[in-house]
Amino acid sequence: MTLVGIIANPASGKDIRRLVAHGSVFDNIEKVNIVRRVLLGLEATGVERVLYMPDYFGIVPMALEHVHLNMTVEPLKMYCEGTQDDSTLAAKLLEDEGAKCLIILGGDGTNRAVAKGSVAVPFMSVSTGTNNIFPCMVEGTIAGMAAGFIATGAVSAEEGTFKTKRLDVMIDGRPSDIALVDVALYDDIFLGSKAIWNMEKVKELVLTQAKPSNIGLSSIGGMVIKRPLPQDKGLHIVLGPLDSGEGLKITAPVAPGLIKAVKVLDSREISMEDEIVFDMSPAVIALDGEREVELLPGKKASVRLSKNGPRVVDIERTMWLAVQRGRMTNHGK
């Protein structure tokens, strides 16, 4: 049976950036509505079975109310702790079950957690978070249909998805964590509320993306390079005090409605497998905009650009290919 997995994070879109910046709240009822449309889109393409991550809000069970579906929709057999580890475990289980596509509702942090569990299954990432660089804004019906065309093989993963980069974080040479968009060296000793908004404490950045149209730390890279970053490259940026006489002063949207000036002391492109060493401890390392790793005194952190990011559904290309192959055409009926 053609299987698709759904991982809907009930906590996305609610972090402290609603207080320190101007991020909008993405409530869970809207996630229910999106998932309902996703399910209808999946069934329309011939998907036979859906497994989903259970959660404390009951997003998928609520989405199943008031709709009749012929495909099987069941929860994964897992215990949920209400943390990002739930998404990581769900991704591992879905890969083991043979899922052909993962539909993810969340922001950069949710997609990062899923990527820690699986990068072998294509992602259909639907934005319901804060900065939303990795996932995209897409109507739920179309997300479900595009994922369904990939899962059923109407469009192959080679044709209808694209490969992404990631950043591997090492502590004393050993793998510690990953990021999909940005890694920041943050001059603090506590994780605190996780989200970053005090740019004076950001000392270095390593980016897989650098676009002035992004929101978040990767927008700084877009203001620096002033042209698209090649697919096989990343960017390393060193920041300094605003009152420093050296460097380039730029202004960037580092959070929703939060436009800050920063001083760039140095920036350079990096290639695949290049490793950036952070020569500072104690400190905190932020991954995709959230403080996640405490770097203890005497420890050394490094970041390596890797080509082993997840494959992501190219929605427009997938939909065009499905139409060209007659998947939405029924002549004479």
Side-chain angles (χ1 to χ4, degrees):
M1 298 179 73
T2 302
L3 173 63
V4 170
I6 295 180
I7 298 175
N9 180 8
S12 67
K14 299 181 179 69
D15 65 40
I16 197 172
R17 280 166 285 195
R18 278 85 194 150
L19 300 177
V20 300
H22 299 278
S24 58
V25 175
F26 207 108
D27 69 80
N28 287 334
I29 294 300
E30 182 54 28
K31 294 173 192 172
V32 170
N33 293 331
I34 292 172
V35 169
R36 183 177 292 126
R37 298 193 293 270
V38 163
L39 291 169
L40 292 166
L42 288 172
E43 184 167 72
T45 61
V47 171
E48 300 165 293
R49 187 180 181 217
V50 171
L51 286 175
Y52 65 88
M53 180 186 77
D55 68 87
Y56 60 79
F57 191 80
I59 292 174
V60 178
M62 290 179 67
L64 288 168
E65 296 176 1
H66 312 303
V67 293
H68 175 72
L69 298 172
N70 293 317
M71 65 181 179
T72 302
V73 182
E74 300 172 315
L76 284 165
K77 295 179 180 178
M78 58 177 284
Y79 174 76
C80 289
E81 299 179 344
T83 69
Q84 65 179 358
D85 292 339
D86 294 343
S87 296
T88 302
L89 175 59
K92 290 178 181 177
L93 295 175
L94 287 165
E95 180 181 330
D96 292 342
E97 289 283 349
K100 301 301 182 183
C101 191
L102 302 181
I103 300 178
I104 304 156
L105 272 69
D108 291 337
T110 304
N111 282 271
R112 173 182 150 267
V114 173
K116 290 170 67 174
S118 174
V119 293
V121 185
F123 285 21
M124 174 67 258
S125 299
V126 181
S127 175
T128 61
T130 304
N131 283 6
N132 303 327
I133 305 306
F134 190 86
C136 65
M137 297 296 292
V138 56
E139 208 285 321
T141 313
I142 303 302
M145 293 178 71
F149 287 135
I150 295 294
T152 60
V155 178
S156 70
E158 289 73 21
E159 296 173 301
T161 69
F162 58 89
K163 190 72 173 168
T164 62
K165 298 169 277 190
R166 79 180 196 192
L167 297 166
D168 294 333
V169 178
M170 279 80 66
I171 305 297
D172 288 344
R174 296 183 178 182
S176 173
D177 218 317
I178 67 169
L180 298 178
V181 180
D182 54 70
V183 173
L185 179 64
Y186 196 74
D187 187 8
D188 208 335
I189 58 174
F190 301 112
L191 298 182
S193 58
K194 290 200 171 185
I196 285 180
W197 68 90
N198 185 353
M199 294 306 299
E200 294 179 0
K201 293 187 176 184
V202 179
K203 301 304 179 184
E204 293 186 53
L205 294 171
V206 185
L207 310 173
T208 64
Q209 295 191 32
K211 299 178 182 178
S213 56
N214 283 355
I215 191 82
L217 299 178
S218 64
S219 69
I220 296 172
M223 304 301 177
V224 171
I225 62 174
K226 300 180 181 179
R227 61 174 178 77
L229 186 66
Q231 178 58 30
D232 61 346
K233 300 291 184 179
L235 192 67
H236 176 219
I237 297 175
V238 179
L239 302 178
L242 276 174
D243 58 2
S244 170
E246 305 175 19
L248 175 69
K249 183 178 180 181
I250 64 167
T251 304
V254 297
L258 196 64
I259 303 167
K260 290 283 189 176
V262 298
K263 182 62 71 73
V264 177
L265 301 183
D266 186 39
S267 66
R268 66 181 180 92
E269 288 186 2
I270 59 174
S271 301
M272 290 295 174
E273 302 306 317
D274 281 356
E275 191 168 337
I276 303 300
V277 177
F278 290 155
D279 190 18
M280 177 181 176
S281 67
V284 167
I285 297 175
L287 308 174
D288 293 333
E290 297 185 343
R291 287 170 274 178
E292 295 284 354
V293 180
E294 290 181 336
L295 188 59
L296 301 177
K299 296 290 184 179
K300 182 156 288 189
S302 60
V303 183
R304 180 186 297 133
L305 181 66
S306 168
K307 63 181 179 181
N308 296 322
R311 298 196 73 90
V312 176
V313 175
D314 184 328
I315 299 167
E316 187 164 354
R317 176 170 171 77
T318 296
M319 295 299 288
W320 274 118
L321 287 172
V323 169
Q324 290 164 9
R325 292 168 185 177
R327 296 303 296 237
M328 302 304 293
T329 305
N330 219 345
H331 291 292
K333 295 184 180 179

